[in-house]
Each structure stands twice: as structure tokens, then as C-alpha cells.
Amino acid sequence: MTKERGRDQFKKFKIILNVLSLLYRIFPKKIRIWMFNIHCGLKGKVGMAFRYAILKTIIKSIGDNVSIHPYVTLKGIANLDLGNNVSIHSYGYIDATGGIFIGDDVSLGNGVSIISFEHNFDDLDVPIKDQGHTDKPVIIENNVYTGSKVTILGGVTIGTGSIIGANAVVAKSIPEYSIAVGV
């Protein structure tokens, strides 16, 4: 007997998730973001269902069968695009201020960080924290897997079919079908 995949389970409950999303739309966006944050630690399929239904109402776009595991922090979510069959595992940190696109069939391991901007530091007379930032969109193409605690910096594209090893810092774009480890 084979175990049922998440995408098969999603198909069974898609109508319920869509109705739940419609109900969430009654609330102002700030309340929905607050609701997402209070459901942040809710474990299991119920927690993932609530997070999906709420996210569907507040991010730029979201595909089917997206699983956001417990304790994922999302910022700048109006600039976040998620494809189909995306999983973001526990303790991830995603700041989509500068724009993040994540394609289909992507798995982000535990503790992954993605930052889509860079702090400005040109003026020596002004503290760096007061110089603002420059948006640097991140693109993660289809069928990408990242190990735990990977950091992806702004302006990076990770090509289709690539694997990023645990603890890697991705500061430059990665070609399609590559394996990248280290810094």
C-alpha cells in the first residue's frame, strides 16, 4: 500500500480551502496578517491548511499544494509568488520586500533564509541602517531543493533542477541542474 502524497490530499480538500479563503477575505488585510502570525506555530495538516487559506488572501500569488510548516516568518508578502507543490519547512525566514518568485515543485529545508534586498552603504557620513535599501528580486525556478539553513541573498536566480547543500550561502546565481554547496 502506497502512502498518499500531499498533492493528492490537497485535491480532496481544495474546495474547503477555497471556501475558508473566501471567509478570511471578510477581514481587513492587517487582521489576516495577524491571523497568519497567530497560526504560525499550529502543527500538522490543520495548521498548514489555515496558513495556506490565509496566505491565499494576502500574497501576490499562490499555487496549489503549498505547505508552510510551523514557525515560518514571512515579510513583504505582497511581493511573494509561490508556484504549485512548494514546501517551506519550519523556521524559514523569507523577506520578499524586493520580490521573490518561487516556481513549481520547490522544497526549502528547515531554517532557510531568503532576503530580496540589500542595504545601501555608499555614504560614509550616514549610518548604514539609515541609508535605505535596494530591491534585489530572487527567482527560484522549478524543481529546486535546498538543504537546511541555506541563505539566499538578493539578486540571485537558482536554475531549474538545482540542489543547494545545507548551510550554503547563495550570493551568485546558480545555473540549471547544478549542485551548489558552501559559500
Side-chain angles (χ1 to χ4, degrees), residues 113-132:
S113 294
I114 306 173
I115 312 297
S116 62
F117 62 90
E118 183 177 275
H119 287 281
N120 297 330
F121 52 90
D122 298 331
D123 190 339
L124 298 177
D125 297 325
V126 177
I128 293 170
K129 69 178 185 168
D130 295 333
Q131 292 188 45

Side-chain angles (χ1 to χ4, degrees), residues 2-46:
T2 59
K3 183 179 174 189
E4 189 175 44
R5 295 184 75 187
R7 59 189 74 188
D8 298 323
Q9 292 175 0
F10 179 87
K11 286 177 190 174
K12 287 182 184 177
F13 295 102
K14 185 175 180 178
I15 292 173
I16 294 168
L17 292 170
N18 287 336
V19 169
L20 191 56
S21 289
L22 287 173
L23 292 173
Y24 280 130
R25 287 185 194 277
I26 295 169
F27 300 101
K29 189 172 184 177
K30 285 184 179 182
I31 300 289
R32 286 181 270 150
I33 291 169
W34 175 79
M35 292 168 76
F36 177 83
N37 290 329
I38 65 165
H39 288 97
C40 173
L42 192 57
K43 292 181 173 58
K45 295 194 186 321
V46 170

Side-chain angles (χ1 to χ4, degrees), residues 83-97:
N84 296 312
N85 308 313
V86 171
S87 59
I88 303 171
H89 291 269
S90 299
Y91 302 102
Y93 178 87
I94 296 176
D95 191 328
T97 298

Side-chain angles (χ1 to χ4, degrees), residues 67-72 87-93 107-113 145-151 164-168:
S67 59
I68 309 294
H69 290 259
Y71 306 112
V72 170
S87 59
I88 303 171
H89 291 269
S90 299
Y91 302 102
Y93 178 87
S107 181
L108 303 175
N110 293 319
V112 167
S113 294
Y145 171 80
T146 71
S148 295
K149 299 181 181 173
V150 167
T151 299
I164 311 299
N167 290 308

Side-chain angles (χ1 to χ4, degrees), residues 154-170:
V156 164
T157 296
I158 299 177
T160 295
S162 293
I163 298 169
I164 311 299
N167 290 308
V169 176
V170 183

